[in-house]
Amino acid sequence: MTSFPFTEALPIQFQAPLPKASEVVVIGGGVIGVTTALFLGRRNISVTLLEKGRIAGEQSSRNWGWIRQQGRDADELPVVIEAQRLWRQLAEECGEDIGLRQAGVTYLARTDKEMAGFAKFLKIAEIHGVDTRLLDQGETARLIPAMSRSFKGAMTTPSDMRAEPWVAVSALARLAAREGVTIIENCAARMLDISAGRVSGVWTEQGRIATSSAVVASGAWTSLFLRAHGVSIPQLSVRATVAATGPMPEIHSGAVADEHIAFRRRQDGGYTLASGGTSQLYVGPDAFRHATKFVPALMANPFGTSYLPAAPRGYPDSWSTPRRWNADEESPFERIRILNPAPKASALRDIEREFAALFTQFKTVPIKASWAGMIDAMPDVVPVVDRAAEIPGLVIATGMSGHGFGIGPGMGRVVSDLVQGNEIGHDLHRFRQSRFSDGSPIKLGPSL
């Protein structure tokens, strides 16, 4: 079995010289940062994107590759509907096969309670004209006839799509670079330069860039970066394990999940496999600091997360990771260029066992690769997309909570217009930073 290929050994693709000034600096080269930079550049705005390691080296390449409307929070759904349109447009414009296919997403139900939960989302989908529908036991069996067991029913959205994340985000970055965006890999943003209370530049390991606008879209590292500037968000990161098979006969062309197993057909003829909804949290200072805000999510799914006493050295919420540093010294972001957590061995065994039990016609499951990623999670399972009240000129786009790849181009367009002060076209009230400090109750998004 091989490990995930995105490491520091991957050759640097983007090594533009550091400019002296840029109208906007985007910190973080995942799908949100890349598409934000792309849409800013299309408005003839000079934009520099800084990535401490490699484009899409962390969660933007390690996710399941689902582009789904299904199961979204009601306030996310309009943005992801836009993202679906943008994915099609950008797939054509980048001129590369990113594996974009409309093959549907299906959630399987073992119980009446699960079916009732699906019915709640169906009402939301109908309001927005999404083609989600509920299937009974027989319809579910006919949709995926290779399954060895029957289910109470399912929820399916035929218009949902899939793509290859490790291909797609890099292709979008190449598109952005061709259109004039300055992208610099292996260049960590160490600190914001703040003058008269607002953003005036960004200090990097290569020097300073003057700017009046900075976007922090750094995934699991965002909370650490912001806290050094007095901005607190209750973001934690959880580890999730994924496996990939070699080529197999097609059992279903789309993406499917139940509470135990999730799988997606890939363009190379294999399947991406994962647990249906389990993850691990490394307990650190932020976990204690924000524990009370995560209680509702814990109560809703008490067995979905297991806990480990300490993160590996240098991880964002490791006990040993510095919370303060100077602009002229090495920062935590240079010490770990790419978060590359080890996959959980027991999770890999569970994934293989559950997939084999659901499709007993396979004598073996040819696992060829495995990896893990750190998901930037918020207490209510929806992101923070907002201007930072504490520091004018700073925009935060983080906490996608495992939903970032599919919604990426939609959020990138939104963040681009947020930076410019344009009309957004969507209600972002749900995603405001202040919801965790203004006394509002935690309103959980769907855990699907």
Side-chain angles (χ1 to χ4, degrees), residues 77 86 103 128 138 183 235 241 270 274 282 291 345 350 375 401 405 411 434:
L77 187 54
L86 290 171
H128 294 279
I183 302 178
Q235 175 192 301
T241 294
Y282 294 113
D350 291 345
I375 299 171
S401 302
F405 178 68
M411 278 300 186
S434 65

Side-chain angles (χ1 to χ4, degrees), residues 10-322:
L10 189 73
I12 294 173
Q13 293 185 65
F14 306 96
Q15 44 188 339
L18 188 76
K20 292 183 178 180
S22 187
E23 290 178 79
V24 182
V25 174
V26 177
I27 301 169
V31 66
I32 305 299
V34 167
T35 55
T36 296
L38 174 62
F39 288 116
L40 283 166
R42 288 184 169 182
R43 295 292 187 92
N44 295 316
I45 293 170
S46 67
V47 55
T48 299
L49 188 153
L50 303 172
E51 167 51 52
K52 66 183 177 62
R54 302 295 184 272
I55 291 293
E58 297 187 345
Q59 195 55 24
S60 282
S61 65
R62 297 162 188 265
N63 61 81
W64 299 356
W66 295 25
I67 300 174
R68 64 176 174 88
Q69 303 156 102
Q70 179 165 296
R72 292 279 184 171
D73 183 88
D75 292 286
E76 276 189 338
L77 187 54
V79 184
V80 81
I81 290 171
E82 178 183 358
Q84 292 247 340
R85 175 183 60 79
L86 290 171
W87 270 116
R88 292 186 178 93
Q89 173 189 322
L90 295 172
E92 290 186 9
E93 293 173 349
C94 72
E96 302 179 42
D97 184 1
I98 64 171
L100 187 69
R101 304 288 186 274
Q102 181 180 314
V105 166
T106 301
Y107 292 156
L108 304 169
R110 297 176 184 240
T111 66
D112 290 331
K113 181 180 179 181
E114 288 175 307
M115 287 298 293
F118 294 166
K120 290 180 181 178
F121 177 76
L122 186 63
K123 295 177 181 177
I124 298 170
E126 289 172 345
I127 291 170
H128 294 279
V130 178
D131 60 340
T132 302
R133 58 193 181 94
L134 299 186
L135 308 180
D136 62 22
Q137 183 173 344
E139 290 170 322
T140 301
R142 288 190 290 275
L143 179 67
I144 314 172
M147 293 190 300
S148 64
R149 63 155 297 163
S150 62
F151 288 84
K152 178 73 66 173
M155 177 171 67
T156 191
T157 305
S159 62
D160 280 349
M161 301 186 293
R162 59 179 170 89
E164 305 305 337
W166 46 87
V167 178
V169 181
S170 293
L172 293 178
R174 287 188 284 272
L175 174 63
R178 289 196 300 271
E179 296 190 8
V181 173
T182 299
I183 302 178
I184 313 175
E185 292 180 306
N186 222 53
C187 181
R190 289 176 171 172
M191 296 183 69
L192 300 175
D193 190 8
I194 300 172
S195 303
R198 64 162 297 122
V199 172
S200 61
V202 175
W203 290 104
T204 83
E205 62 180 293
Q206 296 183 21
R208 179 182 181 273
I209 306 176
T211 189
S212 59
S213 296
V215 176
V216 180
S218 304
W221 297 93
T222 303
S223 178
L224 179 65
F225 184 91
L226 293 177
R227 178 165 285 278
H229 299 85
V231 179
S232 178
I233 59 170
Q235 175 192 301
L236 301 178
S237 53
V238 295
R239 179 181 69 166
T241 294
V242 187
T245 75
M248 300 181 69
E250 183 168 293
I251 50 178
H252 186 68
S253 63
V256 181
D258 75 355
E259 63 178 338
H260 297 295
I261 188 70
F263 60 92
R264 172 186 67 84
R265 185 69 164 172
R266 291 197 316 276
Q267 68 180 144
D268 64 3
Y271 283 87
T272 294
L273 311 179
S275 300
T278 60
S279 58
Q280 298 82 48
L281 172 67
Y282 294 113
V283 175
D286 284 346
F288 278 96
R289 184 178 292 115
H290 302 306
T292 57
K293 290 183 171 62
F294 281 84
V295 168
L298 176 63
M299 297 291 287
N301 186 19
F303 304 109
T305 302
S306 57
Y307 302 91
L308 300 170
R313 185 174 183 84
Y315 273 43
D317 198 26
S318 170
W319 293 100
S320 61
T321 298

